[in-house]
Amino acid sequence: MSNSYKGWELLYQMPGGTKDPFQDPYGPTSECFSSNDVVRMFELGALSRDVSHLSRCKECRERVERFGEVTAPELAQSMYRSVPWWRKASQGFRTPQPAFAALASPQTLVYVPTTCSVNLAQGSVDTIRMQLITRRVDDLRRCTLRLEGPVTANAGCLVAGSEPYPWVEFHNVQASDDVIRELRLHNRITELVFLKVGETEQRLCLKGTSNIEFEGI
Amino acid sequence: MTPDIAQALQDCCDSANRPSAVKRLRELMERVLIERLTILSVDRDFIDAAIEETFLSFAASVDCSVQVNWLAWITATAMSVLVEHTGNLSWLDKFSNRLAAGSLRERRALVFGSILALDGHCQWALLRAIPSVLYRFLVGKCEAQLNERLAELVNHGL
């Protein structure tokens, strides 16, 4: 074993050295989010307890806002994976990546507090209401909001509220055939829904994903 | 550590499967690494480059020891590389210069390893101070704890 790694072994043996840097919460309180928590929230949507903590913790709010600004996992990954990592590395630091930069768009954290009712006869969904934890309220006012995936809606509207982050409502939501079929077999199902905010379908200025629970009526 | 990350780390020790195992590990960890590095920088190019260099050195060094906490190693190395690229090194080297062994990058990474073992409040305060050119933020409880932790490393004969 190389001597240069002796220090790391010592670090591992000390109290705290076995910490999982991604799983342990960090921030001013013991309830602050871990890195895994933040990534999970952006992929699957925020839960009530997450939003409750965010309302109390300025540091976690700032962290979530910054992470939303810097990353665009889905589009970024597809571009990123197209170049082998060893080749990309050999191109050196700060290699210009125009295609990557053009496709990247910020993310918003999505919170959907309630179960959505689906009219099984008509395939329509009651209003879907969601809170978006993002700094980009101006983009929400200026652009078109769409839902895609198991339900589709083309015209979300911003709802005025007194809370620090905006609420958005989608009316005239249509459920997919798959959702209706599943709800005929089960009382409730949970599906991942994609929110897209943009001037056009190709030019997004914000996006988000969240699990939403549906029930048939 | 999630079971899939643990399995990927285990697979990395098998030289026959290492390239694909390192790639798999990277895929599993990339988002959480980006999240942690976001505290230090919002420049996506800096973050991408830090992750790239970290996994290259991880692939080269995975033989050295299976005793090391590799999650902490990868995270601390990525933080060290990121700060090198952003250029705010004076505060970091004030601590890393106290360590005798290892390359400069390894010593810098060990400082981050120390930070990772502090409590959440200290981690947060220290990491927030890093993008700043001013060292004055590293005061009080956090600096004292970091000094104590580095002293432990030095006293263990690093």
Side-chain angles (χ1 to χ4, degrees):
Chain A
M1 183 181 68
S2 163
N3 281 337
S4 61
Y5 292 94
K6 192 177 168 193
W8 284 104
E9 292 211 345
L10 289 172
L11 196 68
Y12 183 67
Q13 291 157 9
M14 288 179 181
T18 53
K19 270 190 174 183
D20 181 338
F22 302 135
Q23 192 59 43
D24 289 316
Y26 71 104
T29 74
S30 59
E31 285 113 38
C32 284
F33 299 128
S34 69
S35 289
N36 282 340
D37 287 333
V38 174
V39 173
R40 183 258 309 161
M41 285 192 292
F42 272 88
E43 288 182 347
L44 301 177
L47 303 174
S48 298
R49 65 168 185 270
D50 300 328
V51 177
S52 171
H53 175 68
L54 279 171
S55 69
R56 297 189 304 269
C57 182
K58 178 172 170 281
E59 282 74 13
C60 283
R61 281 201 302 275
E62 287 178 357
R63 184 173 159 205
V64 163
E65 288 175 3
R66 292 185 79 190
F67 185 60
E69 291 296 308
V70 80
T71 187
E74 290 141 1
L75 289 173
Q77 279 197 345
S78 62
M79 291 300 299
Y80 205 66
R81 302 283 178 256
S82 63
V83 181
W85 61 274
W86 60 88
R87 187 176 301 163
K88 185 168 174 287
S90 67
Q91 291 167 356
F93 177 60
R94 297 285 281 177
T95 303
Q97 294 176 303
F100 178 94
L103 283 174
S105 55
Q107 277 195 303
T108 176
L109 183 58
V110 180
Y111 170 54
V112 182
T114 54
T115 301
C116 299
S117 301
V118 180
N119 183 320
L120 296 181
Q122 298 174 354
S124 60
V125 184
D126 263 3
T127 300
I128 296 181
R129 194 163 190 265
M130 57 178 64
Q131 189 174 28
L132 306 181
I133 289 107
T134 177
R135 293 173 177 171
R136 296 179 171 256
V137 181
D138 287 343
D139 285 339
L140 296 176
R141 290 200 181 95
R142 185 172 49 84
C143 298
T144 306
L145 283 76
R146 299 193 311 276
L147 285 184
E148 293 181 3
V151 292
T152 52
N154 288 319
C157 56
L158 206 57
V159 181
S162 58
E163 303 199 45
Y165 295 108
W167 284 88
V168 166
E169 280 185 358
F170 286 91
H171 306 281
N172 301 320
V173 183
Q174 195 65 32
S176 71
D177 292 342
D178 286 344
V179 168
I180 295 168
R181 188 165 49 245
E182 288 298 315
L183 282 173
R184 286 192 172 123
L185 299 172
H186 308 280
N187 287 335
R188 293 186 175 201
I189 60 169
T190 299
E191 295 283 345
L192 193 64
V193 174
F194 302 91
L195 167 74
K196 294 184 176 180
V197 180
E199 292 168 352
T200 65
E201 193 159 341
Q202 287 76 32
R203 197 173 167 188
L204 296 179
C205 54
L206 195 63
K207 61 183 181 175
T209 58
S210 178
N211 274 337
I212 297 182
E213 188 179 54
F214 297 99
E215 63 178 357
I217 53 172
Chain B
M1 190 188 310
T2 57
D4 45 0
I5 289 182
Q7 183 61 51
L9 279 166
Q10 185 65 39
D11 292 345
C12 288
C13 297
D14 176 2
S15 59
N17 294 326
R18 183 168 311 146
S20 60
V22 172
K23 187 164 178 264
R24 170 74 178 143
L25 181 66
R26 179 182 173 145
E27 286 172 355
L28 289 169
M29 293 180 60
E30 196 164 68
R31 289 190 190 192
V32 283
L33 258 184
I34 287 171
E35 199 285 321
R36 183 53 73 98
L37 297 183
T38 304
I39 301 295
L40 311 186
S41 168
V42 290
D43 189 317
R44 181 61 195 244
D45 283 347
F46 280 161
I47 292 174
D48 280 345
I51 290 175
E52 196 70 66
E53 288 190 33
T54 302
F55 275 92
L56 281 177
S57 55
F58 173 78
S61 62
V62 73
D63 274 339
C64 293
S65 173
V66 291
Q67 302 298 319
V68 172
N69 181 344
W70 285 112
L71 281 186
W73 187 94
I74 289 169
T75 312
T77 302
M79 289 176 161
S80 175
V81 174
L82 179 63
V83 172
E84 285 175 13
H85 289 324
T86 54
N88 295 320
L89 291 164
S90 57
W91 74 271
L92 181 59
D93 287 338
K94 190 160 185 172
F95 292 108
S96 67
N97 287 338
R98 293 179 53 191
L99 304 169
S103 69
L104 182 58
R105 176 170 292 172
E106 285 164 352
R107 281 184 275 134
R108 287 169 175 163
L110 274 170
V111 176
F112 280 106
S114 299
I115 290 175
L116 290 173
L118 299 178
D119 67 42
H121 177 77
C122 287
Q123 279 188 49
W124 180 256
L126 283 165
L127 292 177
R128 283 189 73 184
I130 287 163
S132 169
V133 178
L134 300 173
Y135 174 75
R136 64 185 169 85
F137 292 104
L138 290 172
V139 293
K141 183 183 173 193
C142 295
E143 187 184 9
Q145 288 207 5
L146 186 55
N147 273 318
E148 187 181 332
R149 187 131 183 98
L150 287 169
E152 285 175 349
L153 283 172
V154 173
N155 291 336
H156 275 76
L158 179 70

